[in-house]
Amino acid sequence: MAKKQNDGSTVKEERFQWTAKMDEAFIEAMLKEQNEGNRIDGSFTPQAYTNMVNDLTAKLNKDFKKEHLKNRLKTLKDHFSQCYDLFRGVSLSGFAWNSETRLIEAEDEVWDQLINEKPEAAKWKTKEICHYDELRQLFAKDRASGTSAITAKERRKQIENERRIETIQEVDQLLETNQVTLEKPITPEETQGAPTTPLSQLKLPTISKEKKKEKEGGRRKKY
């Protein structure tokens, strides 16, 4: 890659080459930052990158930059994801991870069946996967699906539902202690197949600050 100098000339920029030793140190650094809470929603914080750059530069005596780490992170994650998704982690029937050989292993007939269905699986029969256990700690959650992969919108809806449940439970408690009444009494006949009275039709009492403190104090004594 050519890089332009201030005087207008260009020089060939040396490509940043990653070695197995560098990968090992980088993965170790990522796990450390993740364990210290410097990875939020699957992304490392700016402070995490600063820490990793400083750590790797000192440990390996090489000039690391944030972009080097971000690019290598993408490469490691992509390679891991190909394997993880194909074998569903290590839960695909007949397959198992061997930490000594660093291979995904299975009987030949099991391999043949998978390769027949998915030819791209053939390379993983003999391809070692370095640091698979560590990469799984880093990236397995990102490959989750279904209920475990909840979106921000789904989480907001979940919180709203939880709040609604709490509100309904609070109203039930008020009804039980006669602290609230319904605008219209409900007869046994009306309860048969009739919809539940909406919360908007409930008359909630106004509780003064003094009364509220007294009530909260009673709860603390009770528990």
Side-chain angles (χ1 to χ4, degrees):
M1 180 184 295
K3 184 176 181 181
K4 192 171 184 178
Q5 301 296 301
N6 294 332
D7 60 2
S9 62
T10 59
V11 294
K12 188 175 181 180
E13 187 177 7
E14 184 179 354
R15 185 178 179 183
F16 198 86
Q17 296 286 346
W18 282 84
T19 65
K21 184 178 180 181
M22 290 162 63
D23 277 342
E24 182 177 356
F26 181 34
I27 292 170
E28 181 180 339
M30 286 192 289
L31 284 172
K32 178 182 177 182
E33 294 303 317
Q34 177 173 274
N35 293 337
E36 292 182 354
N38 294 329
R39 190 182 184 206
I40 302 174
D41 296 331
S43 298
F44 287 102
T45 64
Q47 184 60 52
Y49 278 107
T50 299
N51 294 342
M52 290 189 289
V53 165
N54 293 338
D55 182 48
L56 294 176
T57 298
K59 184 179 292 185
L60 300 173
N61 193 29
K62 190 174 179 67
D63 186 19
F64 286 89
K65 292 182 173 58
K66 180 179 178 180
E67 288 305 311
H68 296 150
L69 304 191
K70 294 185 73 172
N71 291 337
R72 192 56 180 174
L73 169 59
K74 184 178 184 304
T75 298
L76 290 172
K77 185 174 181 179
D78 286 347
H79 288 171
F80 170 81
S81 299
Q82 292 174 19
C83 176
Y84 188 88
D85 293 350
L86 182 63
F87 296 97
R88 302 171 196 163
V90 286
S91 64
L92 189 62
S93 180
F95 291 89
W97 163 249
N98 188 323
S99 58
E100 294 184 0
T101 63
R102 297 187 293 190
L103 294 170
I104 297 289
E105 297 181 346
E107 298 294 334
D108 287 340
E109 55 268 24
V110 176
W111 270 112
D112 292 342
Q113 181 178 354
L114 178 63
I115 293 172
N116 184 53
E117 297 173 357
K118 300 179 179 181
E120 67 273 18
K123 68 177 182 179
W124 297 106
K125 189 173 182 179
T126 56
K127 183 178 178 63
E128 291 186 7
I129 311 170
C130 298
H131 314 293
Y132 183 81
D133 291 330
E134 291 82 359
L135 293 174
R136 186 164 52 182
Q137 293 180 53
L138 288 167
F139 306 130
K141 287 184 178 180
D142 298 339
R143 312 309 303 167
S145 59
T147 55
S148 58
I150 185 169
T151 64
K153 183 177 180 180
E154 290 169 337
R155 179 55 185 158
R156 286 196 298 271
K157 184 175 180 180
Q158 185 183 77
I159 293 174
E160 290 173 0
N161 289 338
E162 290 171 354
R163 288 175 178 170
R164 177 174 173 79
I165 290 172
E166 290 176 359
T167 302
I168 293 174
Q169 290 174 339
E170 290 171 358
V171 171
D172 287 342
Q173 292 175 0
L174 292 172
L175 285 170
E176 290 175 0
T177 56
N178 295 322
Q179 296 184 53
V180 65
T181 58
L182 299 178
E183 283 189 352
K184 178 182 177 183
I186 299 176
T187 64
E189 291 78 10
E190 291 175 324
T191 61
Q192 299 296 325
T196 304
T197 302
L199 295 178
S200 60
Q201 294 185 18
L202 296 178
K203 287 185 176 180
L204 300 177
T206 302
I207 303 175
S208 65
K209 293 183 179 179
E210 293 76 11
K211 192 71 176 176
K212 186 175 181 181
K213 290 181 179 179
E214 180 181 345
K215 185 177 179 181
E216 291 175 348
R219 287 181 179 174
R220 286 194 291 269
K221 290 179 181 180
K222 182 178 179 180
Y223 295 101

